[in-house]
């Protein structure tokens, strides 16, 4: 089984995040592997670990990221969790890509990986914690012309039957869905508990190279991506005015009444 | 100037339209001539609502499907919308914002080459005619505007972006069918089972509600005080992710759960982790109840009570009920 996991390098959620010139400001060393992509990595690794010895030996998990040079850190983190191979697609022409542009690059990189053999599954996280779009996996699926199982809480793959089955629970609907392979699956944060890197894997990760590909390497026309190909652009970005400091009441037996009075006073009841 | 045609996808045409659909109909009217798109026959109630919102035309997709369950699949819905864009010559498509509609919107944008903005909190147009979606970013700490530069614009709009407002005059609403034949790729995923569970206890829907009361780990498993206050306020109930993972409640607020932007959000026994704040920081008024005076949720609150939620919430609920009774 060959699985490609799309992982994104995002500003740390605990860091001071902001925009510069209409783009997310990338502060060096303040970035991290998108936490929700750890669920996708865990899903990929555990699918392969559940295989028989022979199939397992013939399997490969590839971490794939699209981003600036810093984004190699996301791939290195994926190495520490145990992926076999890691690719960073980086090119000046990619900067300023919107969802569609990012997805076009991811899809082209998957096709390039298929030159070494078929890719059965593309796994992704449910959202990147910077933009929170939750749309890139759908675009990737559409771009590749493959079925998409979105927000999987449970995933089973039957390689012999060539199917992937997922349970998805979004809004007020629970569904059990089945897709023929090859497929794209985005996983929710309910699907598993991501593993922690262990010493052996951290050591092994040091020796693994992050393969760097340009747009030309994935055979994509620069006009489709980056600012040139973007169908949207950020025209304004401003920090929201800070809220005035809270009115604080320490409960001495009448905190609830004070709360009710605040709501009544502000016509919120 | 208003030569634009705006399509609005109706989420629940078979029953009655809920507030988020009425909100996007309101926004759509500011952009141009509005038409509605439905994947099932609209009820009489829906038609009456559309009439008061000034919508003369509903385009109802007639789907050629082997398995009728496929009508819920996002690529199928997207195929219907893409066809509707063609037949109506539409420039803008507005959808409500949920995980499912975002998936629809992505497939639609891919099929039509449209620019996509998700989770808009406002929609306007520039002088030269481009559509602009207002968004918040980084847990509601930034406000941005995103301009769509393509001919067709697709936007998903968050609940409570505007107050729904009927049009000045009521019109007669006509329904016209249009055939849609989703391709093999759109129907490749098979639905083995599908179950819909409505919000429990007859409370408002969390994603749409104007008031939300949420409980966290500080409830220690007893959501009674949270439900009590919510019911006194007529509010929806939510939780932190930890509380849901403990099995204490079924829906959580946050970046990976339900994003809410109500008029009033009350968080009780919730510390206010960045992941949680990301899904509620755009609320207009934030109230926090926590026995730890240092809890981070206080930093973004308008009103904070330092105390035990088991004491504070029931007392507040009783005072609100008493106030209501006095008023009646
Ligand atoms: C990838 C990822 C995504 C996540 N997404 C989300 C998300 O979408 N939504 C979300 O909520 N979380 C999310 N989380 C989890 C988040 O990081 C926090 O762990 C979680 O929100 C904490 O829940 P809590 O506030 O209920 O618990 P805690 O942080 O334990 O806070 C409990 C609070 O209750 C107070 N308290 C205790 N007893 C009382 C009492 N008797 N009366 C009043 N107050 C009391 C305490 O002082 C404390 O402040 C995510 C985590 C990860 C890793
Ligand atoms: N630049 C990127 N590189 C690799 N994967 C990405 C990138 N952007 C998005 N993804 C994948 O798509 C998922 C959803 O991202 P988004 O739609 O941006 O919220 C992420 O969890 C990743 O798995």
């Amino acid at each position: 089984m060959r699985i490609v996991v799309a992982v994104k390098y995002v500003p740390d959620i605990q860091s001071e995040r902001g925009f510069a010139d209409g783009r997310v400001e990338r502060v060096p060393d303040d970035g991290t592997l998108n936490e929700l992509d750890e669920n996708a990595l865990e899903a990929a690794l555990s699918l392969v670990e559940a295989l028989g010895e022979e199939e397992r030996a013939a399997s490969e998990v590839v971490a794939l990221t699209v981003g600036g040079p810093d984004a190699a850190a996301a791939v290195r983190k994926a190495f520490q969790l145990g992926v076999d191979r890691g690719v960073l697609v980086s090119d000046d022409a990619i900067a300023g890509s919107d969802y569609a542009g990012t997805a076009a690059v991811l899809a082209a990189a998957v096709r390039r990986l298929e030159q070494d053999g078929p890719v059965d599954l593309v796994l992704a996280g449910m959202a990147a914690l910077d933009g929170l779009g939750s749309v890139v996996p759908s675009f990737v699926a559409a771009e590749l012309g493959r079925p998409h199982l979105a927000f999987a809480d449970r995933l089973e793959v039957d390689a012999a039957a060539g199917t992937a089955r997922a349970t998805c629970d979004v809004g007020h609907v629970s569904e059990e869905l089945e897709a023929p392979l090859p497929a794209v699956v985005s996983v929710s944060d309910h699907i598993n508990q991501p593993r922690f890197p262990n010493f052996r894997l951290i050591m092994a990760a040091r020796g693994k190279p992050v393969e760097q590909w340009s747009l030309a390497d994935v055979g994509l026309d620069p006009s489709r991506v980056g600012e040139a190909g973007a169908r949207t652009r950020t025209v304004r970005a401003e920090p929201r005015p800070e809220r005035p400091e809270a009115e604080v009441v320490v409960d001495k037996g009448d905190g609830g009444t004070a709360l009710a009075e605040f709501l009544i006073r502000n016509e919120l009841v | 100037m208003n030569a634009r045609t705006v399509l609005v996808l109706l989420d629940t045409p078979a029953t009655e339209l809920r507030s988020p659909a009425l909100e996007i109909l309101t926004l759509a009217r500011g952009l141009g001539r509005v038409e509605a798109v439905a994947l099932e026959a609209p009820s009489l109630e829906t038609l009456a609502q559309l009439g008061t919102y000034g919508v003369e035309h509903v385009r109802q997709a007639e789907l050629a499907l082997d398995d009728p369950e496929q009508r819920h699949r996002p690529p199928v819905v997207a195929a219907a919308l893409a066809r509707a864009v063609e037949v109506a010559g539409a420039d803008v498509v507005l959808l409500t914002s949920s995980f499912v509609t975002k998936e629809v919107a992505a497939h639609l944008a891919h099929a039509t080459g449209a620019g996509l903005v998700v989770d808009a909190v406002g929609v306007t147009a520039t002088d030269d005619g481009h559509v602009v979606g207002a968004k918040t970013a980084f847990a509601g700490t930034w406000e941005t505007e995103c301009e769509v530069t393509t001919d067709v614009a697709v936007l998903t709009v968050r609940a409570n972006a505007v107050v729904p407002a009927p049009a000045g005059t009521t019109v007669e609403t006509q329904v016209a069918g249009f055939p849609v034949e989703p391709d093999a790729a759109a129907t490749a995923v098979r639905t083995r089972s599908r179950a819909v569970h409505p919000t429990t206890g007859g409370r408002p829907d969390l994603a749409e509600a104007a008031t939300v009361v949420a409980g966290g780990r500080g409830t220690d498993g007893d959501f009674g005080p949270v439900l009590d206050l919510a019911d006194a306020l007529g509010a929806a109930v939510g939780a932190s992710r930890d509380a849901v993972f403990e099995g204490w409640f079924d829906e959580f607020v946050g970046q990976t759960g339900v994003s809410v932007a109500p008029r009033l959000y009350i968080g009780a026994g919730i510390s206010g982790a960045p992941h949680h704040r990301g899904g509620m920081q755009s609320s207009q008024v934030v109230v926090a109840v926590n026995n730890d005076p240092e809890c981070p949720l206080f930093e973004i609150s308008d009103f904070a009570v330092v105390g035990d939620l088991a004491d504070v919430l029931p007392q507040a609920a009783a005072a609100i009920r008493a106030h209501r009774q006095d008023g009646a």
Side-chain angles (χ1 to χ4, degrees):
Chain A
M1 195 171 354
R2 266 182 103 218
I3 307 178
V4 174
V5 186
V7 298
K8 189 173 185 189
Y9 181 72
V10 297
D12 194 316
I13 192 168
Q14 306 281 4
S15 71
E16 196 63 49
R17 299 178 295 173
F19 287 84
D21 296 331
R23 289 190 201 159
V24 173
E25 198 169 9
R26 309 276 170 191
V27 182
D29 301 326
D30 230 355
T32 165
L33 167 67
N34 178 35
E35 273 175 284
L36 294 164
D37 297 344
E38 291 186 26
N39 294 102
L41 289 165
E42 178 64 41
L45 294 167
S46 54
L47 278 172
V48 168
E49 284 159 2
L51 296 172
E53 209 171 312
E54 214 168 297
E55 283 168 273
R56 201 174 152 170
S59 293
E60 188 178 45
V61 177
V62 185
L64 168 64
T65 193
V66 173
D70 289 4
V75 174
R76 280 196 290 272
K77 179 75 193 280
F79 280 145
Q80 295 183 352
L81 297 174
V83 307
D84 305 297
R85 187 175 169 189
V87 176
L88 161 65
V89 189
S90 196
D91 198 305
D92 289 344
I94 296 175
S97 291
D98 60 4
Y99 305 125
T102 303
V105 180
L106 286 167
V110 170
R111 283 196 210 98
R112 156 88 197 244
L113 284 164
E114 294 214 287
Q115 290 174 5
D116 319 329
V119 169
D120 305 284
L121 271 181
V122 176
L123 291 185
M126 67 181 290
L129 287 170
D130 53 355
L132 285 177
S134 288
V135 291
V136 166
S138 301
F139 270 110
V140 171
E143 188 74 29
L144 289 168
R146 290 181 194 177
H148 179 212
L149 301 173
F151 311 116
D153 289 332
R154 225 186 57 215
L155 175 65
E156 284 163 28
V157 174
D158 185 338
T163 55
R165 271 191 198 179
T167 320
C168 310
D169 206 338
V170 283
H172 296 280
V173 180
S174 308
E175 287 179 314
E176 209 190 324
L177 302 170
E178 183 178 289
L181 296 176
V184 178
V185 181
S186 65
V187 304
S188 83
D189 55 340
H190 293 247
I191 192 168
N192 53 37
Q193 188 63 50
R195 64 193 63 189
F196 290 103
N198 64 35
F199 182 71
R200 189 183 59 79
L201 285 169
I202 291 173
M203 292 314 285
R206 290 197 178 162
K208 290 185 185 168
V210 178
E211 291 165 60
Q212 303 247 2
W213 293 353
S214 66
L215 270 188
D217 291 328
V218 298
L220 201 60
D221 188 334
S223 68
R224 283 207 58 201
V225 302
E227 254 161 39
R231 308 166 189 175
T232 57
R233 70 192 164 102
T234 304
V235 288
R236 189 176 73 90
E238 277 163 30
R240 183 180 154 137
E242 295 219 1
R243 281 176 198 271
E245 231 172 270
E247 191 179 328
V248 183
V249 169
V250 179
D251 182 32
K252 296 198 179 81
D254 56 0
T257 312
L259 168 51
E261 277 164 7
F262 169 81
L263 299 181
I264 292 162
R265 190 166 12 109
N266 288 285
E267 293 175 13
L268 292 162
V269 175
Chain B
M1 48 152 258
N2 268 351
R4 253 184 240 110
T5 297
V6 186
L7 297 183
V8 169
L9 176 68
L10 304 179
D11 294 329
T12 54
T15 51
E16 68 179 317
L17 300 181
R18 308 173 64 91
S19 186
L22 300 176
E23 292 162 23
I24 56 174
L25 286 170
T26 307
L27 277 170
R29 218 187 306 129
L31 295 172
R33 203 178 62 82
V34 186
E35 294 189 9
V37 180
L39 272 79
E40 2 175 31
S43 67
L44 291 177
E45 245 170 330
T46 294
L47 289 174
Q49 287 174 301
L50 290 170
T52 60
Y53 277 74
V55 179
E56 287 174 19
H57 297 285
V58 182
R59 297 185 185 269
Q60 187 189 334
E62 290 154 359
L63 293 161
L65 291 172
D66 297 333
D67 173 6
E69 279 297 296
Q70 288 276 0
R71 72 183 185 284
H72 302 293
R73 299 288 316 136
V76 171
V77 181
L81 282 170
R83 184 83 193 107
V85 166
E86 243 170 56
V87 294
D91 310 286
V92 187
V93 182
L94 297 186
L95 303 92
T96 59
S97 209
S98 68
F99 284 126
V100 176
T101 53
K102 285 197 211 179
E103 204 185 336
V104 170
H107 284 282
L108 173 62
H110 186 266
T112 55
L116 170 65
V117 178
V118 296
D119 288 328
V121 293
V123 188
T124 51
T126 60
D127 293 339
D128 57 359
H130 286 153
V131 173
V132 178
K135 291 189 54 149
T136 62
F138 300 138
T141 55
W142 281 69
E143 289 170 355
T144 68
E145 277 180 356
C146 199
E147 180 180 316
V148 178
T149 52
T150 44
D151 292 341
V152 180
V154 177
L155 298 98
T156 77
V157 181
R158 284 174 66 157
N160 293 311
V162 288
V163 177
T169 47
T170 298
V171 298
E172 189 78 34
T173 307
Q174 313 278 337
V175 183
F178 67 102
V180 183
E181 282 177 46
D183 63 13
T187 55
V189 172
R190 202 160 65 84
T191 306
R192 294 168 47 85
S193 69
R194 185 172 199 275
V196 182
H197 6 259
T199 310
T200 43
R203 295 191 181 87
D205 191 83
L206 180 58
E208 310 174 356
T211 308
V212 169
V213 183
R217 209 173 257 295
T219 61
D220 204 16
D222 179 9
F223 260 59
V226 174
L227 299 178
D228 184 28
L229 179 59
D231 290 342
L233 288 164
V237 177
S240 68
R241 189 176 81 156
D242 288 27
V244 168
F245 279 16
E246 290 284 355
W248 300 341
F249 198 70
D250 57 1
E251 270 190 302
F252 63 92
V253 169
Q255 295 194 320
T256 57
V258 181
S259 275
V260 300
R263 227 155 75 77
L264 169 64
Y265 165 96
I266 301 179
I270 291 181
S271 59
H275 300 106
H276 185 81
R277 299 199 332 209
M280 49 65 65
Q281 199 149 351
S282 308
S283 308
Q284 279 173 37
V285 176
V286 176
V287 172
V289 179
N290 200 301
N291 60 11
D292 170 11
E294 302 294 322
C295 94
L297 192 58
F298 283 175
E299 289 164 20
I300 58 155
S301 296
D302 299 283
F303 190 82
V305 183
V306 184
D308 188 333
L309 69 91
D311 301 328
V312 175
L313 300 194
Q315 189 181 60
I320 287 160
R321 287 198 176 95
H323 168 78
R324 285 238 158 110
Q325 226 144 33
D326 289 349

